[in-house]
Amino acid sequence: MNVRDPFNLRRSNAINIIQGTAAQAALNLTHRALQTSVKAIESGRQVVEDMSSYAAPKTIPSFSDPQRELEDRSWGSSSVTSRASNGYGYNSGVMSGMQERVGGFFEKQTNLPMYKDKPFSYPSSRRSKPWWKKRRLLALIGLFIMFILYCLGLVGDDIAAETVGDRLTWLKGPDKTGKVDWLDRRERVVEAFTLSWDAYERYAWGYDEFHPISKRGKQMTPNGMGWIIVDSLDTLMLMNLTTRLTKARSWITTSLDYDQDQEVNTFETTIRMLGGLLSAHYLSTTFPNLAPIAEDDEGTAGEDLYIEKAKDLADRIMGAFDSPSGIPFASFNLKTLQGIPSHDDGGASSTAEAATLQLELKYLSKLTGEGFYWEKGERVMQIIDDNGMEDGLLPIYIHANTGKFRGSNIRLGSRGDSYYEYLIKQYLQTSKQEPIYEEMWDQALAGVRKHLITYSSPSQFTILGERQNGLRDQLAPKMDHLVCFMPGTIALGATGGISEAEARKLPSWTSKKDEEMRLARELSQTCWGMYKAARTGLAAEITHFTLDSPPLPESAPHSAPETFDPSDDADWRQDFNIKVTDQHNLQRPETIETLFYMWRITGDEMYREWGWEMFKSFMEHTAVEQGGGFTSLSNANTIPAVQKDNMESFWLAETLKYFYLLFSPNDLIPLDEVVINTEAHIFPRFEMGPLFKTGWTRKPRGPDGKLSIAS
């Protein structure tokens, strides 16, 4: 890994004064050198043409004549030596002469054409030139200056690599009028992905982290886990980026080895790495025309690469489940397979992390026929449910040693979110053959509506708040960006993945589903409002809201504005409050994920248009010059945005993938045939078959979800 600016000169404010001038001067020198190179190429071409048209003279001197040897020695000992000498005092022949013509492109050639009777050692004019007319000297000075400026960090890799601005010229003008070409917009997403991927490949290939501004990588384990590479595999496939996928696959084949003495997070490793490998296996085997690679073909030695790596990793993850209760520890050691309690939060695991492993483990069991992955994941669901929490809403921490919850903080943001997501997705994954998970989802969604839904003031946007000290405590008017997965998931649960129009024709459609779709629409608008409220058009990590006192119940009449007035003093802006500590944007996917689901399910093109506007904001404010791709923001609520030197793997794995799917035809990855994990990795729905079954039942409980006394 290269380290630039070793003397920290770039950190000085004063150096910025000369940076622009120095960079421009260097570019001018480079341009001049390139022009000279073109002339050299033309000169070389002329040499070849001269040689091809050359006719041998009728009288050819004998090169074996003894007299010739004496002449050679005489010329070789002359005081003017040949620049193309091969070390023996004479020219190497015809090709060497051509190289001399090309190699001497920095100065005008005045020697006679090469014949054996007059080699290039024959002295040309000795008239000296002013130093500023000597092209070779100028070029060497220019290259030296370029080297110094590069080492100091004053000129970057935009000389060698295309800048982001060069590729995003379409941003400078208004959108085309008339019918929208969504496939053209999808190509803009592919363009953004390749800019990010190529920057990673150029500066941090094989590293787990990528810092686009400083253009460096960092490992999370001694030899790396392929954090970015594995997480991006299925996006590469969907976008048909075969060349890039081939290199990624080669790296996995030759460099990915999980036998490392390193503690890693159970949840993140499962959803990103295990999920990424399983999704790559599914897409490469089910859709062989997506970025086809011969090594993936049936019967080849590498056809099981992804599943073999997935099984190796899953066997190591199993160490996290070796707890007294069966709740997985927060971390595990890749080499020793030892589960490790959290170093914070009293050693407790987060509820979302413990209960967001099931889609991955169940699919792996289906692929391998080995039921213990399924059983480990299923056992977690039973332990959680046996706690009998009121209205299906859970505290965000649970002890791996006891299986009991810690604290009473209830939220659908960080550490709580994907537990709820995986309830309905487990039901859909096994083709609706496990109704226990639909029952748990219905109970939890009713609890959300009862305890966590209210409306902002004065504009009455629908918000999903938090109960930080239990259900009897006051509602906190706070929404993590992470909460914005929920509207799309509600719509998915209401329709099962088919369109709303189709679902309404089914006898299973009820007024309850009508209410759920209304809630999904209203929360989608609020999440979009979180983007509109920030000056860059990119949502903050957390947004707070103004509430009435007391907060309105979910049943209260309400009517939020349908559009967002762009003026700075618009009334709706009073509802949104972005605090200084929350104004960063990590390129998160949850809102674009919801827009994707809402478009597919409702068919309302408004969600696509919102997504396009969001995409343009990402392009405008997160782009890194000098070939760095895109990065997170430290402050998304100011112009210009303050960039943060980090690209999360989910930018490639989730955010850009959902943009791509949003702008794609609906028959690409039909929602009623797949489930998508919380890292946007795609798994098939499947029948349970004779090998698998739901291995537990719920304990009896009252209408509020609490366990009956007899239980």
Side-chain angles (χ1 to χ4, degrees), residues 358-505:
Q358 287 67 26
L359 294 182
E360 295 79 5
L361 296 179
K362 286 183 172 183
Y363 181 38
L364 183 59
S365 279
K366 184 67 176 179
L367 287 171
T368 63
E370 298 179 8
F372 62 87
Y373 304 118
W374 182 297
E375 293 161 3
K376 290 288 188 181
E378 186 179 66
R379 174 66 177 156
V380 174
M381 303 307 299
Q382 180 180 6
I383 296 166
I384 286 175
D385 195 59
D386 282 352
N387 278 274
M389 302 307 295
E390 183 178 353
D391 292 326
L393 301 179
L394 312 181
I396 61 174
Y397 295 107
I398 187 168
H399 288 287
N401 287 327
T402 65
K404 301 300 180 183
F405 288 106
R406 176 180 186 265
S408 54
N409 190 345
I410 294 171
R411 68 184 184 216
L412 270 71
S414 62
R415 302 188 178 276
D417 49 0
S418 47
Y419 160 75
Y420 304 94
E421 175 189 357
Y422 270 35
L423 291 178
I424 190 61
K425 288 184 176 179
Q426 284 187 79
Y427 172 63
L428 297 175
Q429 181 184 38
T430 52
S431 302
K432 303 182 180 181
Q433 294 178 336
E434 295 186 280
I436 191 170
Y437 297 113
E438 182 186 36
E439 180 183 332
M440 294 172 70
W441 163 254
D442 286 341
Q443 183 184 47
L445 182 54
V448 167
R449 294 176 61 184
K450 177 180 178 181
H451 297 286
L452 303 181
I453 296 295
T454 188
Y455 307 100
S456 64
S457 178
S459 303
Q460 298 186 329
F461 292 103
T462 302
I463 71 167
L464 200 167
E466 301 178 357
R467 299 279 182 176
Q468 298 174 347
N469 292 293
L471 296 180
R472 303 294 173 264
D473 189 42
Q474 64 182 359
L475 183 68
K478 163 181 173 285
M479 281 180 66
D480 292 2
H481 187 277
L482 290 165
V483 176
C484 287
F485 84 93
M486 191 62 173
T489 304
I490 293 172
L492 176 66
T495 67
I498 62 176
S499 71
E500 182 181 12
E502 293 177 275
R504 286 182 176 277
K505 298 175 184 177

Side-chain angles (χ1 to χ4, degrees), residues 154-218:
L154 294 179
V155 295
D157 306 280
D158 52 335
I159 295 171
E162 189 175 23
T163 65
V164 173
D166 293 335
R167 294 280 294 275
L168 301 180
T169 55
W170 55 268
L171 267 177
K172 298 176 182 178
D175 288 336
K176 298 177 182 177
T177 58
K179 186 178 180 180
V180 174
D181 185 345
W182 289 105
L183 291 181
D184 180 69
R185 291 184 173 184
R186 186 177 75 166
E187 283 307 302
R188 305 287 76 77
V189 179
V190 176
E191 192 174 74
F193 180 93
T194 56
L195 282 167
S196 285
W197 178 267
D198 292 350
Y200 166 70
E201 183 178 329
R202 186 182 303 117
Y203 301 115
W205 181 250
Y207 285 94
D208 296 323
E209 299 177 13
F210 175 42
H211 304 288
I213 297 174
S214 57
K215 296 178 175 55
R216 60 185 177 87
K218 182 180 178 181

Side-chain angles (χ1 to χ4, degrees), residues 68-86:
R68 186 74 183 190
E69 184 177 352
L70 294 174
E71 293 174 0
D72 286 347
R73 291 177 181 175
S74 175
W75 281 111
S77 61
S78 65
S79 59
V80 183
T81 58
S82 171
R83 290 171 302 170
S85 172
N86 68 359

